[in-house]
Amino acid sequence: MSSAAGPDPSEAPEERHFLSTAEAAALERELLEDYRFGRQQLVELCGHASAVAVTKRTVLVVCGPEQNGAVGLVCARHLRVFEYEPTIFYPTRSLDLLHRDLTTQCEKMDIPFLSYLPTEVQLINEAYGLVVDAVLGPGVEPGEVGGPCTRALATLKLLSIPLVSLDIPSGWDAETGSDSEDGLRPDVLVSLAAPKRCAGRFSGRHHFVAGRFVPDDVRRKFALRLPGYTGTDCVAAL
Amino acid sequence: MSSAAGPDPSEAPEERHFLSTAEAAALERELLEDYRFGRQQLVELCGHASAVAVTKRTVLVVCGPEQNGAVGLVCARHLRVFEYEPTIFYPTRSLDLLHRDLTTQCEKMDIPFLSYLPTEVQLINEAYGLVVDAVLGPGVEPGEVGGPCTRALATLKLLSIPLVSLDIPSGWDAETGSDSEDGLRPDVLVSLAAPKRCAGRFSGRHHFVAGRFVPDDVRRKFALRLPGYTGTDCVAAL
């Protein structure tokens, strides 16, 4: 990791450190390259923890084609295992083997996949107790993932049922949170590994961190002041 | 799966069905091939659940070179994350990339690796609160994994602290449990995916199942009557 991606020393150590995009990428690189975590393993850990953070029975999980969407697919599978009733909307499918395998797992576990998202938001409000936004992660622009995802975000913005965003609210700039006024306004944010800088603009009800798997040395290196996890819990509220 | 590996229809449906070796292999094949689970993913899920089943602070995890040992390495990592104090004895290292990566994760998280296992059992009884037996899984004979593992099993047999075996007590025949008299006598058994037939011979205090990830269809196909899991728990007591 270049020192340029390290934490900003001008921040007081008492303040919670939210990761810049470069720091988040460096942290992930450290886990993958130095610690030899596999991508399958990280996505599994994040998706499981995300499912634990969701407590509604009927859940619509909206997945994009990037890593955030893969975490959404794992989240949906664990929700099914917890005997919830997840439904998936995954309009732009990745050709990546990991995504394809995770999709097969969901399909074979009889999780329904919507072929289109109703534009009439009242239908979604009535059919589900909660929506999980796994459309876009840090560094992915709405334009990159195609029209169906962009249109889904426009629909999610209008919902009255609770919205849970994985890692960052889709469409927000991961650093500045610049779309935090006009874009999605999730009720719950589940930060994966560690909170990204835009999480400082989050004003919803609950902010969870699913990053218990991050080794202590990495936490110290990135000056993360993470929440205290209890017992064998895999998520903690900030 | 060949029908020969299916459950024995002569068993009454009310009885809990314990898997024969052929059925256990068929179940794993179904998860890997049909459901497209990855081995990394399954080992992660099993190791995490195994760690949740362990509740002592100071733990010695004894790992063999096969898949059971890989689950042990993941178990040790999660114990470390739960702020326990695991130590690993892993005398015969696998060249498999998965094992090597899981070893790196443990080493870099400062989990100590013993270079030899004391033959003086009192030293082990005093140093640890509990030992995890991740030496041999179903279908692996002690002779296949080399002298250090065989010698470790002889030592584990003499311990007075609690012993937790992952999947089967190492050295037992997975079907007949034929070594259950002379071999290891674990206090706790953590069945991975589903109980193997020899679990019927287990007479220790606690029998946990870490198989919540097994899809409902697979449970039905193999006539598994699995325990009721609570909330978001990943293990359940039988």
Side-chain angles (χ1 to χ4, degrees):
Chain A
M1 193 192 73
S2 74
S3 61
D8 180 351
S10 68
E11 284 186 74
E14 297 78 30
E15 279 185 67
R16 191 172 300 283
H17 180 70
F18 287 178
L19 293 180
S20 71
T21 303
E23 286 167 357
L27 189 154
E28 185 172 280
R29 209 159 52 233
E30 183 128 350
L31 293 179
L32 291 170
E33 291 174 11
D34 293 6
Y35 281 80
R36 307 294 306 156
F37 274 88
R39 199 166 284 281
Q40 191 182 70
Q41 195 179 8
L42 290 183
V43 165
E44 188 67 30
L45 289 163
C46 288
H48 173 253
S50 299
V52 170
V54 169
T55 51
K56 284 287 192 301
R57 290 281 134 197
T58 52
V59 180
L60 175 64
V61 185
V62 184
C63 300
E66 308 286 342
Q67 182 158 315
N68 210 256
V71 174
L73 294 169
V74 173
C75 175
R77 170 164 44 81
H78 282 283
L79 288 172
R80 178 73 194 75
V81 159
F82 299 156
E83 294 170 35
Y84 291 3
E85 290 172 36
T87 297
I88 295 171
F89 180 55
Y90 178 34
T92 308
R93 299 206 174 188
S94 168
L95 294 177
D96 192 271
L97 183 60
L98 177 60
H99 288 72
R100 275 161 38 205
D101 285 349
L102 296 173
T103 304
T104 300
Q105 291 162 29
C106 290
E107 286 173 344
K108 285 188 65 78
M109 288 174 75
D110 290 331
I111 301 176
F113 281 71
L114 295 183
S115 51
Y116 68 97
L117 192 68
T119 48
E120 181 60 70
V121 290
Q122 201 50 32
L123 293 174
I124 302 173
N125 288 334
E126 284 165 9
Y128 305 100
L130 181 146
V131 173
V132 173
D133 154 32
V135 184
L136 301 173
V140 185
E141 301 286 326
E144 290 173 43
V145 294
C149 286
T150 312
R151 285 194 295 278
L153 291 184
T155 303
L156 297 191
K157 219 170 4 183
L158 303 173
L159 294 177
S160 57
I161 53 176
L163 182 70
V164 178
S165 286
L166 303 189
D167 211 19
I168 67 166
S170 294
W172 285 27
D173 182 286
E175 300 236 343
T176 63
S178 67
D179 203 27
S180 60
E181 298 298 318
D182 299 334
L184 294 186
R185 299 253 199 143
D187 301 89
V188 179
L189 178 63
V190 182
S191 290
L192 305 179
K196 311 308 175 294
R197 204 162 268 177
C198 69
R201 301 284 287 271
F202 170 70
S203 59
R205 282 177 303 151
H206 302 291
H207 184 185
F208 294 104
V209 178
R212 196 166 186 182
F213 56 86
V214 176
D216 284 344
D217 272 1
V218 177
R219 289 191 197 191
R220 276 190 290 271
K221 182 165 176 179
F222 288 86
L224 300 176
R225 209 159 49 77
L226 289 180
Y229 293 91
T230 311
T232 58
D233 288 355
C234 58
V235 284
L238 271 185
Chain B
M1 194 192 68
S2 75
S3 61
D8 180 353
S10 68
E11 284 186 76
E14 297 77 30
E15 279 184 67
R16 192 173 299 285
H17 179 71
F18 287 179
L19 293 180
S20 71
T21 304
E23 286 168 357
L27 190 154
E28 185 172 282
R29 210 161 50 234
E30 182 128 352
L31 293 179
L32 291 170
E33 291 173 11
D34 293 6
Y35 280 81
R36 307 294 308 155
F37 275 87
R39 199 166 285 280
Q40 190 182 72
Q41 196 180 7
L42 290 182
V43 165
E44 187 67 29
L45 287 163
C46 289
H48 173 254
S50 300
V52 170
V54 171
T55 52
K56 285 286 191 303
R57 291 280 135 199
T58 52
V59 180
L60 175 63
V61 186
V62 184
C63 299
E66 308 286 343
Q67 183 160 311
N68 209 255
V71 175
L73 294 169
V74 173
C75 174
R77 170 164 45 82
H78 282 283
L79 288 172
R80 178 72 194 77
V81 158
F82 298 157
E83 293 171 36
Y84 291 3
E85 289 171 36
T87 296
I88 295 171
F89 180 55
Y90 177 33
T92 309
R93 300 208 174 186
S94 168
L95 294 176
D96 193 270
L97 183 61
L98 177 59
H99 288 72
R100 277 161 37 205
D101 285 350
L102 295 173
T103 304
T104 300
Q105 290 163 28
C106 290
E107 286 174 344
K108 287 189 64 78
M109 286 172 77
D110 290 330
I111 300 176
F113 281 71
L114 295 184
S115 51
Y116 68 96
L117 192 67
T119 48
E120 181 60 71
V121 289
Q122 201 50 33
L123 291 174
I124 302 173
N125 287 334
E126 284 166 8
Y128 305 101
L130 181 146
V131 172
V132 173
D133 155 33
V135 183
L136 300 174
V140 185
E141 300 286 327
E144 290 174 45
V145 295
C149 286
T150 312
R151 285 194 294 278
L153 290 184
T155 303
L156 296 191
K157 219 171 0 182
L158 304 172
L159 293 178
S160 57
I161 52 175
L163 182 69
V164 178
S165 285
L166 303 189
D167 211 17
I168 66 166
S170 294
W172 285 28
D173 183 284
E175 300 236 343
T176 64
S178 66
D179 202 28
S180 61
E181 297 299 318
D182 299 334
L184 294 186
R185 300 256 199 138
D187 300 89
V188 179
L189 178 63
V190 183
S191 290
L192 306 178
K196 311 309 173 296
R197 206 162 266 179
C198 69
R201 302 285 287 271
F202 171 71
S203 59
R205 283 177 300 153
H206 302 290
H207 185 187
F208 293 104
V209 178
R212 196 166 188 182
F213 56 86
V214 176
D216 284 343
D217 272 0
V218 177
R219 290 192 196 190
R220 276 189 291 271
K221 182 165 178 178
F222 288 86
L224 300 176
R225 211 158 48 77
L226 289 180
Y229 294 91
T230 311
T232 58
D233 287 355
C234 58
V235 285
L238 272 184

